[in-house]
Amino acid sequence: MNAVRGFFIIILLLLWIVSCTDKNNKEGYKNIEFTIDTLHIEVDLSSPNNYLNFSTFKNKENITFFGGYNHTMHSIDIYNLSHLKFEKRISLNRNGPEAIVNIDGFHIHNLDSIFVFDNQLFQLFIIDDESNIVTKFNFLNIFRDEIWESFPVIDHHFRLYYNSKANCILFRNHYNEPYKNDISFVSIFSLDSLTLTSIPFFHTENFLSKGEFGYLCVPTISKPYDNKVFLNQVYSPITYSLDLVNYNIVQVPVVSSMVHKPLLDQSIPYAPEIHATENAFYNQLEKISDTYYTRIIWDKADFNVKVSNPLLEKSLKLDVYDIQFNYLNEIPLGEKSYYQYSWFNIDSSLYLQPLQMTYSNTLKEGLFTLHKITLY
């Protein structure tokens, strides 16, 4: 259960140095000092190697924890990241009055207040670490007098986060007609007033003027910072900051050199696959310290019909910005290296869950593995 550095960090550092040689001669680029650690935590064989549905939190002693949803066991597995050990398993009830059938997203505020949302039943639960239901909000009852052209959902693009100061949760609005120009994609649910407030966050003008973009036409959300969150459409680097207290939303001056090309003709063979391969997709911007913002980008690649899954040829990279949103540099993360939506940040470090197919020599049964990138 030790944190080890090995051959992986040497290779990744060499790749980063080579890729940045030309860039560092240009004005505005900066060398970023970072380390990469491999963390192993021993678990039993009923625990998966990766968790796509997860939450992180700290207790009163400032110990960092990771909670991941275990589909097989229908449980939330708690890991102590500060001491690299498996802490406990919160087994959830599938039947009876305390049943929670589906977990589409959850947020651990503390072990007495775990927020869980079920997209199918439109129910928000607050449970404790013994899986007792403390409070339940049935959205179908709360909003029964409203006729919805949309409904709130949580997924791995748009994770569930609870903000204690504003006492609210953000939801992604799902529409049956998602390509209209007057629909907002985000709502805030107030636990004080039990109201859903629509936030003016829309498709980009480029999207609306040129049509469907193919894959991943969904919004994504950052971990809250200073009672705010970042929002962007996955197909676009255009980013907004939303204040969770007063609901003000403003565009932030983060830029990208890549322009997303629309999908104009779906009659072309492999049109969606070509589009998804030859365009970049943008994870949420994250504030990881008082020095840096970061964003993981699923980069573009050349489409090759001879490749069984050309999407797997796309590589991930980590873009780094200063606190004024000026682009500094990028850290390549490689092809087929990490689950795109399974990373999180804590205390100036990024934690990524490696793919089994790439790191099969290091991902063993009985181990939960993380790669930790720390920026300095």
Side-chain angles (χ1 to χ4, degrees), residues 96-101 114-118 121-128 132-142 189 191 194:
E98 300 290 312
I100 300 177
V101 180
I114 303 173
F115 294 77
V116 178
F117 192 71
D118 183 333
L121 298 178
F122 300 113
Q123 290 184 341
L124 174 67
F125 302 89
I126 303 177
I127 65 173
D128 61 21
N132 299 309
I133 296 177
V134 179
T135 308
K136 179 170 65 175
F137 302 91
N138 189 324
F139 280 25
L140 292 178
N141 290 335
I142 296 173
F189 175 63
L191 279 75
L194 301 184

Side-chain angles (χ1 to χ4, degrees), residues 232 237 239 254 282-285 294-297 317-319:
N232 69 279
T239 303
V254 62
Y282 304 85
N283 277 31
Q284 66 277 10
L285 191 71
T294 61
R295 163 179 274 156
I296 286 183
I297 296 177
K317 65 177 183 177
L318 178 70
D319 277 6

Side-chain angles (χ1 to χ4, degrees), residues 315-349:
S315 61
L316 293 178
K317 65 177 183 177
L318 178 70
D319 277 6
V320 183
Y321 305 84
D322 67 17
I323 206 65
Q324 284 80 39
F325 301 104
N326 297 307
Y327 177 80
L328 298 178
N329 221 317
E330 67 183 46
I331 300 172
L333 301 176
E335 298 176 2
K336 295 174 280 191
S337 50
Y338 300 103
Y339 288 99
Q340 186 188 4
Y341 301 103
S342 66
W343 65 290
F344 54 94
N345 61 291
I346 303 172
D347 294 339
S348 302
S349 296

Side-chain angles (χ1 to χ4, degrees), residues 122 147-152 172-176 183-184 187:
F122 300 113
I147 300 175
W148 290 353
E149 65 171 354
S150 69
F151 45 89
R172 175 172 73 85
N173 296 333
H174 179 81
Y175 291 85
N176 294 322
I183 59 176
S184 171
S187 290

